[in-house]
Amino acid sequence: MTSMGVLTELEAGMAELSTPMRVYVAAGRFDEPEPDLPELAARICTLLAAIAADEAWRRFLPGYAPPSVPEICAALEPVETHEAASFLAQVAAVDLVWPSHRHLPVEPAERAAARVVSLLGAEASWWTNHDVECGAVNGLTRLFDSLLAGTDGEHFALALQIADD
């Protein structure tokens, strides 16, 4: 598949995982040569700025500015590629505050997440703001948030669920 084909499929798969006012997504292609974690963190920063500008969240985040790229890098923990699809489906489908509530039906979320992970490939790098060892979350906002970000070194995919208490 061409790079443009991957990008189109990646954007479509991430769009399926988006939920208005809850799960924000982004997918794209890096412009920088040999992008790494700082470039991915810059895309996360852009997504956080878009959420803060969204009318639905502006009142909950007055004066909020996204963390800097180094702060985002420090907040991220690696996720094994074989765990990425289930984690992505969870970010998209399961409410952070009320786990019994679903933003999306589980099966379509799992299918879309598996497709996104497959498009980025087995060598992709995946990152989250969760400390998988202890279960803590390194929040990127003042609210509850859960992020999964992946890259194959050319393309990226981001999903961030945000919730107020």
Side-chain angles (χ1 to χ4, degrees):
M1 185 179 296
T2 68
S3 180
M4 249 351 238
V6 170
L7 180 58
T8 301
E9 291 286 320
L10 198 56
E11 289 172 335
M14 292 306 291
E16 288 181 46
L17 297 169
S18 176
T19 305
M21 300 184 315
R22 286 290 181 210
V23 180
Y24 293 80
V25 300
R29 186 169 180 218
F30 290 107
D31 298 323
E32 303 87 353
E34 300 185 36
D36 204 355
L37 189 56
E39 289 78 16
L40 185 63
R43 297 313 191 283
I44 295 167
C45 188
T46 299
L47 181 62
L48 291 167
I51 293 168
D54 187 328
E55 190 176 323
W57 291 104
R58 200 172 317 144
R59 67 186 172 113
F60 294 105
L61 296 167
Y64 170 78
S68 67
V69 166
E71 289 170 327
I72 292 172
C73 288
L76 299 178
E77 300 284 338
V79 173
E80 296 292 330
T81 300
H82 68 274
E83 297 171 349
S86 64
F87 201 114
L88 181 56
Q90 182 175 341
V91 168
V94 180
D95 189 85
L96 287 171
V97 178
W98 305 103
S100 61
H101 176 74
R102 298 290 183 260
H103 295 294
L104 295 172
V106 174
E107 287 182 18
E110 287 173 343
R111 278 194 303 274
R115 178 74 178 139
V116 165
V117 171
S118 171
L119 285 164
L120 289 182
E123 299 302 314
S125 298
W126 291 92
W127 301 90
T128 184
N129 62 332
H130 292 251
D131 185 327
V132 180
E133 299 281 320
C134 71
V137 176
N138 301 315
L140 299 171
T141 68
R142 292 182 219 137
L143 305 172
F144 294 109
D145 58 69
S146 182
L147 167 81
L148 185 67
T151 180
D152 64 1
E154 182 178 357
H155 304 92
F156 64 90
L158 312 173
L160 187 133
Q161 184 184 142
I162 189 166
D164 60 349
D165 54 0

